[in-house]
Amino acid sequence: MPGELAAQAVSALATVSPEPGAAKPEPLLIADGVNRHFGGLVAVDVTHVEIQKGAITALIGPNGAGKSTFFNVLSGFDKADAGTWSFAGVTITNTAPHRLARKGMVRTFQLTKSLSRLTVMDNMLLGAGGQTGESMVASVFPFTWKAQEKKNRERAMVLLERFNLAAKAQDFAGSLSGGQRKLLEMARALMLQPELVMLDEPMAGVNPALKQSLLDHIRDIREEGTTVVFVEHDMDMVRDVSDWVIVMAQGKIIAEGTPDTVMRDQRVIDAYLGAHHDQQLTASGDSLTEGTSS
Amino acid sequence: MDMGFVLTQAISQAIGVTAIIYLLATMGLNIQFGYTGLLNFGQIAFVAVGSYAIGVFMVQWQGSAFVPNLWVAIIYALLLSVVLALILGVPTLRLRADYLAIVTIAAGEIIRLVFKSTDALGGAQGINGKMGEEFYAINPFPQQDRFDFGPLSYTRNDVWVVTVGWVVIALLLLLTWALMRSPWGRVLKGIREDEDAVRSLGKSTYLRKMQALILGGIFGTIGGIFWAVAKQSVQPDSFVPAFTFFCYTILILGGAARVMGPVIGALIFWFLLVFIEQFLLLLIDNGTITFLEPTQVGPIRFILVGVGLMLLMIFRPQGILGDKKELALDAR
C-alpha cells in the first residue's frame, strides 16, 4: 500500500516530460556538464540531470554505461574532469565524501563495506553524525559524550529492530551473511539521518526472499521523506520500487521517465539489446559472412 | 651459574630498561597498526628522535639558554616527534596504506644515517655524557648501594629508572584504554577495517590517521627519551630497522589491538630471549653442550625465538590476548 509521500512523489513526477535532462518540480540534486574520462575513454558525459526530492530514482544502464562512475563522482569518491553539481541548493562540486555525508548525502557501496571486526552495534554507532566523542581530546573525558552515546545507541537499536538485526547487535559484522551486511549498510547509512541516500546496486548478490524485504525497506526510507537514488541491474526491482528511472549508456543519459515509459522507450531497448536485436543475423538463406558484416 | 641465576637474569631483563623501551615503542605501534591499521615500519625513527633530542640538547648544547634543563629538552623532543609525524604523514596518509610503510622504513634509515654522518649530532661516535642528571637528582629512593627484591638486585639509579618506566607505561596504558573505548577509538578501528566506509559516514579519516600517527610516534619518542636518560649514551647504530620489527613481533605475540597486548608480548619476548641465552650458556658452562661456543649463543637465541614465533603463528595466530574468531573474519 503506497503511503502519502509516495503518492505525492508519483503525482509530482507525472507532469515531468520523459526526456533526458528533464526539469523536476522539486530537484534535490542537480548536475550540469559532468565529465569524467580515463585517458581517451569518456566514462561519464552528463549534460544535465535533476533528482526529484522525496522520490525513488533508479539509475540504470548496460554494463560500462558509467553509472557507478557517475555515482562515485557525485558522492566525492572520484573527481570529475569537468562539471558542477549541487545538493539542496548548495554547490558540492568535487566535495570530499565525509563533508557530503555531513550535509545529508550518504551512499552505500556495491561491494558491501561492513566493518568486519567491529560489532554490528559499533557499525551502527559509527554512522551517527556530530559525535563529541569523536574528537581526540573529548574522547578521554567520557562525561562529554556518554549521554549522546546513549541516545545514539537507542536510535541504533530501533533501526536494528526494523532491519531484523537486533539479535545480532553484539556479533562481529564479519559474521553476518551477505544479505545481512546489505541490511546493516543501509541501516548504518540511516543513522546519519540523511536527506539523500545513494544505494550502489543494493540487490547485487541478495537472495529473492531478502530482495523483497530490501525493497520494503527502500520504500520505508522514502516514506520518512528521504530521497533515494540507486544504481541497479535488476529490472524487476527497478519496475517495482522506483518512481523515476534515468537510463545511461556510454556515459550519457539517453532516456528518463517513469518505469513504464522507460521500458517501452526505443532508445532504451536499443541500448540494452542493441539496435539490431530484432533483425536476423542472416538475411533469409544468405551466407553468414554477409549477415555479420552488415 | 645455575638455574636460579638463569631465571633471575631472564626476569630482570623482562622488566628491565630495554624491555621498557621496546614496550613503549610497541604501544605506539599498537595505536598505529593495531587499532588504525597504519603500517608504520619506521617506529625506530620516532625513538631515535627522542634519544637524539635528549643527547644533543643535554650534551652537545650543554649550557645553552635554549635548553635550560632536561624537562625542557623532553618537551622539545616530544614536539620534534610531532613534526616528524607530520612530515611522514602529510604526503602519505592520503595515499594507499603501503605508501606509509615505504616512507616510514626509509625515514628510519635516513634519520639514522644523518645522525651518523653529522658531527654536530655526534657523528659515528654517538653522544656520550650526562643526559639525565636532573632526573637522577630527584630519585626518592634512600641512599644505599643496592636494592634487593627477592633474587633481583638493582642499583639505586636502576631502581628509579625502572620504577618511573613502569609508572609511565601504566599511565599510557590507561590513556590508550580510555581512547580506544571512546567514539574516537571506534573511528580508528573503522578506518582499519575500511577507510572508504568511514569516509562515506561523514568522518574525516585523514585527520584521525594523522592523530593516530602522532600519538603512536609520541609513545615511541617517550621510549627514546627513556633510552637516552637510562643509558646516558646515544649511538646511531642502535637505531636500526630491526628494532621496529622486534616491536611488531612483540605486538603480534601479545595480540594486536589489545590494550595489554604489548605488555604481555614484551614480557614474554624479553624473558624468552634472555632465558634461552642464559640457559644455553649454562649448558655450555657445565659441559652438557659441547658443540656450541659461547659466542654462538647470541645468534642462536634469535633462531630459537624465531622458531617459537613460527609455532605461535601456526597454533595461535591471534597472539596471546587475541580472539581467534575475530581474526578468522575476512577483512572486508
Side-chain angles (χ1 to χ4, degrees):
Chain A
M1 191 183 70
E4 194 185 329
L5 284 165
Q8 270 179 30
V10 171
S11 66
L13 285 167
T15 56
V16 177
S17 74
E19 280 307 313
K24 309 288 180 327
E26 226 186 322
L28 182 64
L29 188 71
I30 306 172
D32 272 301
V34 178
N35 190 298
R36 176 77 174 108
H37 52 83
F38 301 103
L41 177 81
V42 178
V44 175
D45 181 16
V46 171
T47 329
H48 183 82
V49 69
E50 296 183 3
I51 306 286
Q52 169 70 8
K53 191 173 174 166
I56 300 178
T57 304
L59 186 58
I60 66 167
N63 283 325
K67 310 177 298 279
S68 284
T69 311
F70 188 44
F71 225 61
N72 285 341
V73 166
L74 289 182
S75 60
F77 279 88
D78 197 355
K79 289 252 189 291
D81 295 304
T84 55
W85 54 99
S86 69
F87 172 72
V90 183
T91 306
I92 52 161
T93 311
N94 287 331
T95 304
H98 66 272
R99 293 187 203 281
L100 291 182
R102 286 181 207 161
K103 287 183 202 292
M105 182 172 155
V106 58
R107 71 165 293 179
T108 67
F109 295 87
Q110 185 177 351
L111 301 165
T112 32
K113 294 188 183 295
S114 52
L115 307 166
S116 296
R117 285 179 293 169
L118 260 60
T119 62
V120 169
M121 180 49 96
D122 276 347
N123 264 269
M124 294 295 287
L125 291 172
L126 204 56
Q131 296 188 51
T132 322
E134 284 180 357
S135 128
M136 188 179 177
V137 179
S139 69
V140 287
F141 304 106
F143 61 89
T144 59
W145 49 263
K146 267 280 150 75
Q148 194 186 30
E149 180 91 346
K150 191 162 166 276
K151 268 192 207 137
N152 285 340
R153 217 169 259 278
E154 284 162 7
R155 206 152 58 78
M157 217 48 217
V158 173
L159 278 169
L160 286 176
E161 296 277 358
R162 180 171 140 195
F163 283 83
N164 284 329
L165 290 169
K168 297 269 183 187
Q170 298 312 321
D171 293 4
F172 283 123
S175 71
L176 298 181
S177 71
Q180 285 171 325
R181 288 184 203 199
K182 289 265 179 204
L183 289 172
L184 173 60
E185 208 181 5
M186 212 180 277
R188 193 175 65 193
L190 293 183
M191 279 298 285
L192 266 166
Q193 297 171 310
E195 231 180 302
L196 171 68
V197 180
M198 304 173 75
L199 308 169
D200 195 355
E201 298 204 21
M203 295 296 156
V206 172
N207 71 55
L210 195 63
K211 250 177 207 172
Q212 209 47 52
S213 124
L214 267 171
L215 286 179
D216 290 339
H217 287 306
I218 292 173
R219 287 197 195 96
D220 286 347
I221 294 173
R222 177 190 48 192
E223 263 340 282
E224 291 163 359
T226 306
T227 309
V228 181
V229 182
F230 66 89
V231 168
E232 192 49 71
H233 275 301
D234 186 328
M235 282 308 199
D236 289 336
M237 172 187 174
V238 172
R239 211 191 312 258
D240 241 21
V241 79
S242 54
D243 303 319
W244 193 258
V245 181
I246 297 172
V247 190
M248 282 182 80
Q250 291 169 333
K252 293 187 165 58
I253 292 180
I254 57 160
E256 272 193 55
T258 55
D260 290 336
T261 340
V262 160
M263 303 277 173
R264 276 185 274 113
D265 194 307
Q266 193 55 44
R267 289 168 297 194
V268 178
I269 297 168
D270 288 351
Y272 265 90
L273 302 172
H276 307 291
H277 72 94
D278 50 357
Q279 290 169 11
Q280 278 188 315
L281 279 179
T282 51
S284 55
D286 277 341
S287 74
L288 188 71
T289 42
E290 201 185 313
T292 46
S293 65
S294 65
Chain B
M1 251 175 126
D2 60 9
M3 209 49 205
F5 176 79
V6 170
L7 279 173
T8 311
Q9 280 292 308
I11 292 169
S12 85
Q13 284 299 310
I15 60 168
V17 173
T18 315
I20 290 171
I21 293 164
Y22 275 83
L23 175 50
L24 283 163
T26 309
M27 283 161 59
L29 269 190
N30 196 22
I31 291 174
Q32 293 165 342
F33 172 74
Y35 289 103
T36 323
L38 297 176
L39 272 176
N40 173 11
F41 279 124
Q43 184 69 338
I44 188 62
F46 291 96
V47 179
V49 162
S51 287
Y52 264 93
I54 300 302
V56 171
F57 292 149
M58 298 315 291
V59 178
Q60 309 291 88
W61 296 12
Q62 200 178 9
S64 136
F66 181 64
V67 200
N69 57 44
L70 178 67
W71 319 118
V72 175
I74 288 176
I75 291 168
Y76 289 154
L78 296 177
L79 289 177
L80 285 172
S81 171
V82 175
V83 171
L84 176 64
L86 290 172
I87 291 172
L88 295 179
V90 167
T92 54
L93 287 181
R94 285 190 197 280
L95 305 172
R96 250 178 23 219
D98 18 6
Y99 290 97
L100 183 71
I102 296 165
V103 167
T104 48
I105 197 167
E109 279 296 84
I110 290 169
I111 283 185
R112 178 175 70 87
L113 293 170
V114 166
F115 284 138
K116 197 176 176 179
S117 54
T118 311
D119 284 341
L121 301 171
Q125 304 298 313
I127 304 170
N128 300 289
K130 298 211 176 300
M131 297 179 193
E133 283 198 305
E134 290 98 327
F135 174 76
Y136 292 109
I138 56 165
N139 186 347
F141 285 93
Q143 293 286 347
Q144 63 189 67
D145 279 351
R146 297 211 67 90
F147 290 78
D148 295 328
F149 303 92
L152 302 178
S153 177
Y154 289 97
T155 64
R156 183 165 176 267
N157 278 351
D158 279 351
V159 77
W160 175 227
V161 167
V162 170
T163 309
V164 172
W166 283 98
V167 169
V168 169
I169 286 168
L171 291 175
L172 293 181
L173 285 173
L174 197 67
L175 176 69
T176 309
W177 171 80
L179 285 169
M180 292 311 159
R181 72 186 184 124
S182 77
W184 183 77
R186 189 164 59 216
V187 178
L188 293 195
K189 287 178 237 172
I191 292 171
R192 178 189 68 200
E193 297 300 306
D194 196 315
E195 203 184 326
D196 278 347
V198 178
R199 293 206 298 160
S200 79
L201 294 170
K203 327 283 176 195
S204 164
T205 55
Y206 181 68
L207 174 71
R208 271 38 173 265
K209 287 198 290 184
M210 186 58 89
Q211 289 173 333
L213 186 66
I214 291 174
L215 186 68
I218 284 179
F219 279 33
T221 301
I222 293 174
I225 294 168
F226 205 73
W227 188 332
V229 168
K231 304 200 168 171
Q232 304 275 307
S233 160
V234 179
Q235 304 300 325
D237 286 334
S238 325
F239 303 99
V240 287
F243 180 98
T244 309
F245 297 126
F246 284 138
C247 291
Y248 270 98
T249 309
I250 289 168
L251 181 60
I252 291 163
L253 175 66
R258 292 286 181 279
V259 173
M260 292 301 284
V263 182
I264 304 290
L267 288 176
I268 293 177
F269 182 78
W270 283 102
F271 180 87
L272 281 183
L273 208 58
V274 179
F275 180 83
I276 291 170
E277 177 187 37
Q278 296 294 330
F279 188 60
L280 287 177
L281 287 174
L282 172 70
L283 293 183
I284 292 167
D285 193 49
N286 63 20
T288 318
I289 292 181
T290 50
F291 54 88
L292 282 179
E293 298 294 322
T295 49
Q296 292 173 314
V297 165
I300 280 188
R301 63 180 177 158
F302 282 114
I303 295 174
L304 291 175
V305 168
V307 171
L309 285 169
M310 286 199 285
L311 292 174
L312 180 87
M313 284 294 102
I314 293 164
F315 295 108
R316 204 173 163 80
Q318 70 275 34
I320 288 162
L321 294 180
D323 178 350
K324 192 158 194 172
K325 268 203 311 224
E326 193 177 324
L327 195 82
L329 298 171
D330 57 338
R332 307 256 132 189

